[in-house]
Amino acid sequence: QVQLVESGGGLVQPGGSLRLSCAASGSIFSPNVMGWYRQAPGKQREFVASITSSGSTVYADSVKGRFTISRDNAKNTVYVQMNSLRSEDTAVYYCSFRGSTRVYWGQGTQVTVSS
């Protein structure tokens, strides 16, 4: 089992920045992939960004150049730095951990971009 705890969400004005963190604990083995997804009201959950245990990253087109994903393997923690935030970035952001057998999800953290 893997447990994920997210933090760092909140309210920010358009153009502002936020940094989300997600700490993983439990049965963590490499290789693995950690990532972020988001779900806006009335929409399906969508991929935001991911990073492998070796550091390879993938981004959704909608966040390229604005979001940066990183991880600290010693702390089993993944981060996403979100800059130039837009109203359409408003959503619940979920952390994910993909091991060899299944995907685990965090409880989600709300990000609201509004003036």
Side-chain angles (χ1 to χ4, degrees):
Q1 292 288 330
V2 174
Q3 294 78 43
L4 302 171
V5 178
E6 299 121 332
S7 61
L11 173 65
V12 63
Q13 292 186 341
S17 299
L18 277 178
R19 187 194 195 209
L20 306 182
S21 301
C22 172
S25 61
S27 302
I28 298 170
F29 302 98
S30 293
N32 58 68
V33 182
M34 296 188 74
W36 293 93
Y37 288 71
R38 66 187 182 186
Q39 188 167 17
K43 295 187 176 181
Q44 291 191 334
R45 190 174 297 189
E46 65 175 7
F47 170 78
V48 175
S50 66
I51 183 167
T52 68
S53 45
S54 59
S56 297
T57 59
V58 179
Y59 293 92
D61 287 344
S62 59
V63 307
K64 279 182 183 176
R66 301 188 299 122
F67 290 13
T68 302
I69 190 169
S70 61
R71 65 188 288 170
D72 183 337
N73 287 336
K75 297 181 179 179
N76 293 319
T77 299
V78 64
Y79 309 92
V80 61
Q81 177 67 43
M82 306 185 295
N83 299 328
S84 302
L85 283 162
R86 307 166 180 167
S87 57
E88 54 262 40
D89 295 316
T90 295
V92 177
Y93 283 70
Y94 295 92
C95 175
S96 70
F97 177 95
R98 177 158 50 92
S100 60
T101 58
R102 58 164 288 185
V103 179
Y104 297 87
W105 296 94
Q107 80 285 358
T109 185
Q110 177 70 47
V111 171
T112 302
V113 184
S114 175
S115 56

